[in-house]
Amino acid sequence: MTLQNLSEQDDAEVILRSRDDPEQFAALFDRHARQIHLYVARRLGTQAADDIVAETFLAAFRRRGSYDPDARLARPWLYGIATRLIARHRRDEERLLRALSRTGAEPLPEPLGDVVTRRVAAQGEERRLLAALAALSPRDRDVLLLVAWEDMSLEEAAQALGIPAGTARSRMHRARKKIKAVLPAEEEN
């Protein structure tokens, strides 16, 4: 079955086919994940939305055997699953807050005001950091991002890029030096 044929199928056909070929279910994710994510993000924020969307499609995948094939569009079904997961998320959060209020335990490792202040300050630094990243040579940026974002060692980054470890170390040194030149002014304020 070609990709074009998959795009022409309605959701019920995709779900039915996924019962025998589970990979077919990916088409449903491709069609609806973005909208479900936007919905959940408006309700809970983007951080929680990632988890809820993943749980939504996992639940849908697990329940695909009981999907009503007369419902040609799975969107309402998916939104229903997402809405129930949002409600569960909120109940769990309320339960936690009530338990914390009874015990007097601190729910966060630091006061919420400090967390908010730090996040607002970080958003201001983000533009400078992105500009500094854009100013790096692509080779230096590749090493830095593999180490910083993907949590690779310099040796792993060197292997991923097909360069000697010494070259990766020198590129990382250059990248850090350029990034530090931008950030210290922000940290001193």
Side-chain angles (χ1 to χ4, degrees), residues 123-179:
Q123 288 173 349
E125 291 178 6
E126 185 177 338
R127 283 195 178 126
R128 283 196 170 96
L129 178 58
L130 291 173
L133 285 171
L136 292 175
S137 74
R139 297 181 320 180
D140 292 352
R141 184 174 40 245
D142 288 343
V143 172
L144 177 68
L145 295 179
L146 284 172
V147 171
W149 285 357
E150 302 306 319
D151 202 25
M152 287 187 175
S153 68
L154 279 170
E155 290 74 23
E156 291 169 326
Q159 185 179 10
L161 297 171
I163 59 175
T167 302
R169 277 191 289 280
S170 65
R171 289 180 184 177
M172 178 59 101
H173 176 75
R174 251 191 326 270
R176 283 181 174 159
K177 188 175 177 181
K178 289 177 182 177
I179 296 295

Side-chain angles (χ1 to χ4, degrees), residues 70-153:
D70 290 334
R72 306 314 292 175
L73 183 63
R75 193 168 167 237
W77 179 58
L78 294 168
Y79 274 88
I81 294 169
T83 300
R84 286 187 292 282
L85 290 170
I86 289 168
R88 187 181 76 195
H89 175 83
R90 287 190 169 154
R91 281 191 307 273
D92 291 347
E93 185 177 55
E94 289 170 12
R95 201 173 306 123
L96 172 66
L97 293 173
R98 280 194 301 271
L100 291 172
S101 72
R102 285 190 303 271
T103 64
E106 181 67 37
L108 298 171
E110 57 188 312
L112 183 59
D114 293 346
V115 172
V116 171
T117 301
R118 197 174 64 252
R119 285 184 183 167
V120 169
Q123 288 173 349
E125 291 178 6
E126 185 177 338
R127 283 195 178 126
R128 283 196 170 96
L129 178 58
L130 291 173
L133 285 171
L136 292 175
S137 74
R139 297 181 320 180
D140 292 352
R141 184 174 40 245
D142 288 343
V143 172
L144 177 68
L145 295 179
L146 284 172
V147 171
W149 285 357
E150 302 306 319
D151 202 25
M152 287 187 175
S153 68

Side-chain angles (χ1 to χ4, degrees), residues 1 6 88 99 102 156 180 187:
M1 173 144 308
L6 279 176
R88 187 181 76 195
R102 285 190 303 271
E156 291 169 326
K180 283 180 183 179
E187 293 172 2

